[in-house]
Amino acid sequence: MSDQPRPLTTLDVVAMKRAGRKIVSLTAYDALMARMLDASGVDLILVGDSVNQVVAGRPTTLSATLDQMIYHARAVQGAVHRALVVVDLPFLSYQVTPEEAIRNAGRVLQETDAAAVKLEGGVTMGPTIRALVDRGIPVMGHVGLTPQSVHALGGYRVQGRDEGAAARLMADARAVEEAGAFSVVLELVPSPLAARVTKELAIPTVGIGAGAGCDGQVLVLPDMLGMNPAFTPKFLKRYADLDGTIRSAVSAYADDVRAGRYPGAEHGFE
Ligand code: KIV
């Protein structure tokens, strides 16, 4: 019998909310990191379209492509034994028609073996989420700050601050649940509002910049590992200083090469 853990399903993630167990989520874009996250017990690995910013160096997520997401998702899924892998549908791969969304989300599941997709939007995306779920494609929603709409929102700002905006955000979250999504990301939402949404919904909320009242938390991996020191949003906690660690390792290597200390005799072949 295999001693590999059983892969988590979308139903397990929903059950975690009912059991009062927090959902631990991080992004990953490659096999190396995905293997480490999985071995560390991360429940849900998100192949986020943030890859387009943190790995590809583009200014927003909008230029991420479906082929790019499939490439990264295949690498991640192949390295994971337990975590549920969710793949972001990129901008314009699901907004035009539900039919296109089905074809594109179907490609993600078929070509990567991942178990679910994530898409941004609330009330407007309800029919699309329903179309996907009815065809057997599990969907994670994403409301609040939706980065694919950054130009319409006027920047990466906290959403739902006034009464009207809070009511719209609540309606968006409800629409995502009613359309059949198994969970929803709440991004940059005031903590009291995120806690109210979490109480209202039966599906789990996974927050980023949305306070401790959510059912789970997600962060962008290179940000929480301190690989991007220029990015300092209030919600981010850094758990390592990999920027410093990598710079000093590379400087030590460069010094050794320049001084003729590397490679040593023990690194050579007879
Ligand atoms: O693309 C991404 O990494 C995300 C998270 C920030 C939730 O959507």
Side-chain angles (χ1 to χ4, degrees):
M1 221 172 65
S2 157
D3 54 6
Q4 292 295 0
R6 175 179 76 75
L8 291 180
T9 67
T10 55
L11 301 187
D12 293 321
V13 169
V14 176
M16 287 175 75
K17 173 168 183 145
R18 284 201 297 270
R21 282 169 47 216
K22 292 279 187 186
I23 298 156
V24 177
S25 180
L26 285 168
T27 67
Y29 317 111
D30 61 68
L32 191 68
M33 290 294 177
R35 194 174 301 123
M36 289 189 242
L37 300 195
D38 196 44
S40 309
V42 168
D43 302 307
L44 190 156
I45 296 180
L46 173 66
V47 185
D49 57 358
S50 52
V51 67
N52 201 49
Q53 293 172 286
V54 295
V55 176
R58 302 296 298 273
T60 70
T61 60
L62 274 83
S63 52
T65 67
L66 191 62
D67 286 340
Q68 185 187 350
M69 297 310 300
I70 288 173
Y71 170 84
H72 289 285
R74 199 184 279 149
V76 167
Q77 182 64 65
V80 161
H81 296 293
R82 174 183 173 271
L84 176 72
V85 176
V86 179
V87 185
D88 256 341
L89 291 179
F91 182 59
L92 277 198
S93 70
Y94 61 93
Q95 290 96 336
V96 181
T97 63
E99 288 72 21
E100 274 190 35
I102 294 166
R103 193 161 297 287
N104 289 329
R107 260 195 76 195
V108 170
L109 265 53
Q110 197 167 46
E111 296 179 31
T112 73
D113 295 317
V117 297
K118 176 166 83 58
L119 60 80
E120 298 179 7
V123 172
T124 4
M125 293 318 300
T128 300
I129 296 174
R130 174 50 63 198
L132 292 173
V133 172
D134 282 352
R135 274 125 187 121
I137 301 173
V139 176
M140 182 179 210
H142 184 155
V143 302
L145 185 278
T146 44
Q148 292 176 14
S149 304
V150 62
H151 299 307
L153 296 173
Y156 296 96
R157 311 154 172 272
V158 176
Q159 304 295 305
R161 276 203 189 278
D162 63 51
E163 220 178 289
R168 283 194 297 280
L169 197 143
M170 181 64 87
D172 280 335
R174 280 203 198 103
V176 166
E177 169 163 282
E178 278 159 21
F182 73 93
S183 65
V184 61
V185 168
L186 303 181
E187 180 164 355
L188 292 192
V189 175
S191 306
L193 175 59
R196 268 202 284 136
V197 172
T198 300
K199 238 174 133 190
E200 179 89 11
L201 299 190
I203 59 170
T205 60
V206 178
I208 173 164
C214 297
D215 297 305
Q217 298 293 328
V218 61
L219 285 174
V220 169
L221 185 65
D223 297 342
M224 66 84 83
L225 292 178
M227 298 177 82
N228 188 8
F231 185 61
T232 55
K234 182 166 187 238
F235 67 80
L236 179 63
K237 179 170 173 181
R238 290 221 178 92
Y239 288 84
D241 171 26
L242 287 202
D243 179 72
T245 304
I246 292 170
R247 280 174 195 259
S248 66
V250 172
S251 299
Y253 166 72
D255 289 348
D256 277 359
V257 170
R258 289 185 186 118
R261 286 188 299 266
Y262 179 82
E266 70 277 24
H267 301 119
F269 302 97
E270 293 304 325

